[in-house]
């Protein structure tokens, strides 16, 4: 089946976590804690298809306010696809980006108020939930650190992939980029040569007006290291 994350089509199957479906297709959803359910970086808005998803977990209830639940808020690392259907998801970062680009001032004010309320009212309960899971052995600190490390690696790969997709220059072979850079450097050296009357050149560069001439050093210096 195909689901849509930030309007990007992603293949998914019943039983998949929303977070994993997004990661397989480089569709950005935050994952600072690596899927441990101890932060809200993977917070998303379910725009369509809530009936095809699992019910909110205890971890989600600990971190998400009722107001955000009403707006379709979920944690992608806890939300499982339970049935076929049209599912459309918007990450928190993408939602905010659209508000800002659209110059939606009322929307931004509402967004800030809702998030601020959620942080103030749910942070204590979220922290208590994390401590409780650690005490009960449901959350292993060593395993959590490993997952966080994996999420950092994934974030780095996603950043490179996104930059490559959006900056065409990064798709040019490195040798071509290096050659172009050297050409610019040599041109700059020629300009320095002209301004200085042939006395100065940039190190490591060539100058078209002098590259065929044999130049002698102005002065030789011997350096002895004791």
């Amino acid at each position: 089946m195909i689901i849509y994350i930030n309007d990007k089509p992603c293949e998914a199957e019943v039983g998949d976590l929303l977070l994993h479906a997004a990661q397989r297709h480089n569709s950005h959803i935050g994952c600072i804690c690596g899927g441990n359910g101890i932060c809200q970086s993977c917070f998303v808005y379910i725009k369509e298809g809530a009936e095809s998803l699992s019910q909110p977990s205890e971890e989600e209830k600990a971190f998400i306010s009722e107001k955000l639940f009403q707006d379709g808020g979920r944690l992608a690392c806890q939300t499982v696809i339970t049935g076929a259907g049209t599912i459309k998801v918007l990450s928190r970062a993408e939602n905010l980006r659209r508000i800002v680009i659209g110059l939606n001032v009322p929307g931004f004010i509402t967004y800030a108020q809702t998030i601020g309320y959620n942080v103030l009212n749910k942070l204590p309960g979220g922290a208590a939930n994390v401590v409780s899971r650690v005490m009960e052995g449901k959350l292993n600190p060593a395993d959590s650190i490993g997952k966080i490390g994996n999420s950092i690696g994934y974030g780095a790969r996603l950043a490179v992939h996104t930059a490559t997709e959006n900056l065409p220059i990064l798709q040019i072979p490195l040798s071509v980029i290096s050659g172009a850079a050297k050409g610019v450097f040599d041109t700059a050296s020629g300009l320095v040569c002209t301004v200085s009357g042939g006395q100065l050149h940039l190190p490591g560069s060539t100058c078209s007006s002098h590259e065929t001439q044999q130049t002698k050093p102005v002065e030789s210096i011997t350096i002895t290291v004791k």
Side-chain angles (χ1 to χ4, degrees), residues 20-191:
H20 292 166
Q23 289 178 336
R24 287 199 303 269
H25 296 85
N26 294 307
S27 187
H28 177 259
I29 289 179
C31 55
I32 293 175
C33 76
N36 287 297
I38 59 177
C39 72
Q40 297 181 52
S41 62
C42 69
F43 182 91
V44 296
Y45 295 92
I46 308 302
K47 294 299 184 180
E48 190 175 340
E51 66 280 0
S52 298
L53 302 173
S54 61
Q55 293 298 308
S57 65
E58 291 303 315
E59 288 76 18
E60 291 178 274
K61 293 177 181 178
F63 282 99
I64 301 176
S65 67
E66 186 59 35
K67 176 64 173 65
L68 281 179
F69 273 130
Q70 293 174 3
D71 291 340
R74 298 294 301 269
L75 296 183
C77 76
Q78 301 291 312
T79 306
V80 179
I81 299 174
T82 57
T86 301
I87 300 175
K88 295 183 179 180
V89 179
L90 198 64
S91 69
R92 173 179 282 171
E94 178 62 17
N95 181 57
L96 179 58
R97 186 187 72 84
R98 296 183 183 187
I99 290 175
V100 172
I101 289 179
L103 301 178
N104 184 353
V105 177
F108 180 79
I109 293 174
T110 300
Y111 172 86
Q113 289 175 336
T114 303
I115 297 302
Y117 174 86
N118 189 81
V119 171
L120 289 175
N121 288 273
K122 303 301 292 186
L123 185 59
N129 175 270
V130 173
V131 172
S132 175
R133 280 189 285 156
V134 172
M135 297 294 291
E136 294 173 5
K138 297 179 179 179
L139 191 63
N140 186 306
D143 179 60
S144 298
I145 293 175
K147 288 183 177 180
I148 292 173
N150 290 335
S151 72
I152 293 174
Y154 165 75
R157 293 191 299 273
L158 177 62
V160 172
H161 175 82
T162 302
T164 302
E165 278 191 333
N166 292 281
L167 297 176
I169 189 175
L170 295 181
Q171 299 176 17
I172 301 174
L174 184 59
S175 59
V176 175
I177 297 176
S178 298
K182 186 178 187 306
V184 173
F185 195 56
D186 290 346
T187 300
S189 181
L191 179 61

